[in-house]
Amino acid sequence: MTEQTAAELTPEQARERFRSGWRVPTAGLCPGWAQANLVSVPREYAYDVLLFAQRNPKPCPVLDVTEPGAVSTSVFAGDLRTDLPAYRVYRDGEFVEERTDVSELWRDDLVSFLIGCSFTFESALLEAGVPVRHIEQGRNVPMYVTDRECRPAGGMAGPLVVSMRPLPASAVATAVRVTSRFPDVHGAPVHIGDPAELGIADLGQPDFGDAVDVRDGELPVFWACGVTPQAAVMRSRPPFALSHAPGHMAITDIRDATLQVP
Amino acid sequence: MTEQTAAELTPEQARERFRSGWRVPTAGLCPGWAQANLVSVPREYAYDVLLFAQRNPKPCPVLDVTEPGAVSTSVFAGDLRTDLPAYRVYRDGEFVEERTDVSELWRDDLVSFLIGCSFTFESALLEAGVPVRHIEQGRNVPMYVTDRECRPAGGMAGPLVVSMRPLPASAVATAVRVTSRFPDVHGAPVHIGDPAELGIADLGQPDFGDAVDVRDGELPVFWACGVTPQAAVMRSRPPFALSHAPGHMAITDIRDATLQVP
């Protein structure tokens, strides 16, 4: 399958391929359809997750929350156990494995959170003439753990995680303007320029995803990232939790445009 | 105290007077400072309230959620037990009494939700030349239970409650534009015109607050109202719950302007 045909898939078609084992980062896939982070925790941990999201809306914009045990929602008609390209499994807060199918591990008390993803505004960036390096380079977006602490909730606490896109200075203002219109998928950048101010030592060594080229005259631009709640959930050490694998998102049935504010 | 001096109070001064027993609807008080609805429920009911709010953001924009038992938050430096002008007390989902002080009833497991209130955008309406009838008439805003059901969450379910402001046709577009900029305090109207379409039989008989004059050529304009979660909480029949009395809001330490989007 060429990149072109892959990009043209509907959410349903993409999910069907993921179900068959297709394991790819989802940046650039299904343009025009919103992508989402997944965090699934036992019901007794769900209040802390929801409160953490409420207190940290920039990294954790909640698109939907399932009933306990439910495997689909009004914004995701697929099966949450099989229809993402890759999952991470956590036990007692520790990452134990990645899988492409979590059917065997599913529990009836799991509450799933779908949290907005910045991949959603990348179509709008491209349409506005703003380059998106990781798509150009066919890589996963680089993500970094910062030294900024989120506001805690119950047992959940942790640092802000950001995604980074390098931009020529001339494109920064447009990128701010375009992404500001998508508050439910992280909105405007949280930081533009010096990575050291976020406690990031080396852009070439992302904590998640792949490094991308930063060219002469380009500024690194940082957006809040939906991996943030994963890190915080793990800090609260739930006996069991699932998430998407970073960059391997849930492709939803929400049109990008419906997440855009005037 | 004249209306003029009352309107010029700081949030701290207003809360001090409420603490001393001053019982008034808060529309028009402390212009420039955001007002909030209060709902306090035992911790075991808090997840349903928070999820209901997440699923119904228009009537239930959450400004803050306290830790269990806490009597103040970063957005409300006063004492939640005494510093609102009036409270409602519910047992097993039934309204049992109104009070101006709930200190004696307070419980260490109460989680308090501060939910945005449309009084917050009334300063902006007035500045834009849009008349606000209940302020003109020195009354509480009229509120109505509609026939539109909210999306349920756990044991919480119930109808959308709306506030109504009558406007001359020439002011409706401005009112939409101005209030759209305040999504965290209910934002744009949910309905403009025929009350029957919302299942409201008689504007002269509001379910909460006071009726106001609707003059010839004026349209009733309806905004989602923070009384909505009160009604839904009661449907879930928690053994104990508190709320503000309709129209008698928490005056917060948040400037209106910080709730305004571009």
Side-chain angles (χ1 to χ4, degrees):
Chain A
M1 186 167 47
T2 67
E3 227 169 276
Q4 184 60 23
T5 57
E8 284 168 2
L9 297 171
T10 66
E12 198 180 352
Q13 290 168 332
R15 292 189 301 239
E16 197 184 310
R17 291 183 193 217
F18 299 149
R19 205 178 311 143
S20 308
W22 192 40
R23 189 189 186 293
V24 288
T26 51
L29 275 189
C30 302
W33 297 94
Q35 301 198 16
N37 299 269
L38 173 71
V39 180
S40 304
V41 296
R43 167 66 182 81
E44 64 177 302
Y45 291 84
Y47 176 67
D48 285 353
V49 176
L50 192 54
L51 186 58
F52 184 85
Q54 197 280 328
R55 289 181 174 172
N56 299 281
K58 197 114 189 187
C60 312
V62 177
L63 298 178
D64 207 358
V65 184
T66 65
E67 296 303 313
V71 298
S72 63
T73 85
S74 59
V75 306
F76 183 88
D79 187 321
L80 289 169
R81 300 168 298 187
T82 54
D83 293 3
L84 276 69
Y87 299 84
R88 287 192 159 192
V89 182
Y90 302 83
R91 293 190 189 276
D92 299 319
E94 302 291 332
F95 167 60
V96 288
E97 61 173 328
E98 280 198 11
R99 289 190 170 220
T100 58
D101 184 324
V102 291
S103 301
E104 287 174 20
L105 306 175
W106 197 257
R107 294 165 40 148
D108 285 345
D109 66 345
L110 285 183
V111 173
S112 296
F113 294 80
L114 289 168
I115 293 170
C117 170
S118 58
F119 288 172
T120 307
F121 58 54
E122 292 181 342
S123 305
L125 286 174
L126 291 169
E127 275 167 35
V130 175
V132 179
R133 183 66 34 81
H134 60 276
I135 294 182
E136 281 170 22
Q137 298 195 290
R139 298 183 187 164
N140 195 351
V141 69
M143 293 164 267
Y144 305 87
V145 175
T146 72
D147 61 5
R148 295 202 190 164
E149 279 295 304
C150 292
R151 189 174 161 202
M156 282 187 67
L160 173 69
V161 179
V162 292
S163 62
M164 189 280 291
R165 293 160 185 81
L167 294 179
S170 60
V172 172
T174 304
V176 171
R177 188 173 54 75
V178 169
T179 60
S180 296
R181 295 205 307 263
F182 291 90
D184 284 342
V185 289
H186 306 304
V190 291
H191 185 75
I192 297 165
D194 190 4
E197 281 186 28
L198 291 175
I200 299 169
D202 181 1
L203 289 180
Q205 303 281 336
D207 295 291
F208 308 100
D210 304 320
V212 296
D213 297 346
V214 182
R215 298 181 188 147
D216 281 353
E218 287 184 338
L219 289 163
V221 182
F222 300 91
W223 279 267
C225 176
V227 168
T228 304
Q230 281 187 33
V233 165
M234 299 329 141
R235 188 93 72 93
S236 74
R237 306 188 72 76
F240 181 73
L242 297 171
S243 74
H244 71 287
H248 298 68
M249 317 308 293
I251 297 185
T252 75
D253 298 289
I254 308 174
R255 295 295 307 191
D256 289 357
T258 63
L259 297 174
Q260 189 171 330
V261 298
Chain B
M1 185 167 47
T2 66
E3 226 168 279
Q4 184 60 24
T5 56
E8 284 168 4
L9 296 171
T10 65
E12 197 179 354
Q13 289 168 333
R15 293 190 301 238
E16 196 183 311
R17 291 183 193 217
F18 299 149
R19 205 178 312 144
S20 307
W22 191 40
R23 191 190 185 292
V24 289
T26 51
L29 275 189
C30 304
W33 297 95
Q35 300 197 17
N37 300 270
L38 174 71
V39 179
S40 303
V41 295
R43 167 66 180 81
E44 64 178 300
Y45 291 83
Y47 176 67
D48 284 355
V49 177
L50 191 54
L51 185 59
F52 185 84
Q54 197 279 328
R55 289 181 174 171
N56 299 281
K58 198 116 188 182
C60 312
V62 176
L63 297 179
D64 208 358
V65 183
T66 66
E67 296 302 313
V71 298
S72 63
T73 84
S74 58
V75 307
F76 183 87
D79 187 321
L80 289 168
R81 299 167 299 185
T82 55
D83 292 3
L84 275 68
Y87 300 84
R88 288 192 158 191
V89 182
Y90 302 83
R91 293 190 190 277
D92 299 319
E94 301 292 331
F95 167 60
V96 289
E97 61 172 327
E98 281 199 11
R99 289 191 169 218
T100 59
D101 184 323
V102 290
S103 300
E104 287 173 20
L105 306 175
W106 197 256
R107 294 165 39 147
D108 285 345
D109 65 346
L110 285 182
V111 173
S112 295
F113 293 81
L114 289 168
I115 293 170
C117 170
S118 57
F119 288 172
T120 306
F121 58 54
E122 291 180 341
S123 305
L125 286 175
L126 292 169
E127 275 167 36
V130 176
V132 179
R133 187 63 35 77
H134 60 275
I135 294 182
E136 281 170 20
Q137 298 195 289
R139 298 181 189 165
N140 196 349
V141 69
M143 292 163 269
Y144 306 86
V145 175
T146 72
D147 62 5
R148 295 201 190 166
E149 278 295 304
C150 293
R151 189 175 161 201
M156 283 188 65
L160 174 70
V161 179
V162 293
S163 63
M164 189 280 290
R165 293 160 185 80
L167 295 179
S170 61
V172 172
T174 303
V176 171
R177 189 173 53 77
V178 168
T179 60
S180 296
R181 296 205 307 261
F182 291 90
D184 284 343
V185 289
H186 305 306
V190 291
H191 185 76
I192 297 165
D194 189 4
E197 280 186 29
L198 291 175
I200 300 168
D202 181 0
L203 288 180
Q205 304 281 336
D207 296 290
F208 307 100
D210 304 319
V212 297
D213 297 347
V214 182
R215 298 180 188 145
D216 281 352
E218 288 185 338
L219 290 163
V221 181
F222 300 91
W223 279 266
C225 175
V227 169
T228 304
Q230 280 186 34
V233 166
M234 300 329 143
R235 188 93 71 91
S236 74
R237 308 188 72 74
F240 182 74
L242 297 170
S243 74
H244 69 288
H248 298 68
M249 317 307 294
I251 297 185
T252 75
D253 299 289
I254 307 174
R255 295 296 307 190
D256 289 358
T258 62
L259 297 174
Q260 188 171 331
V261 297

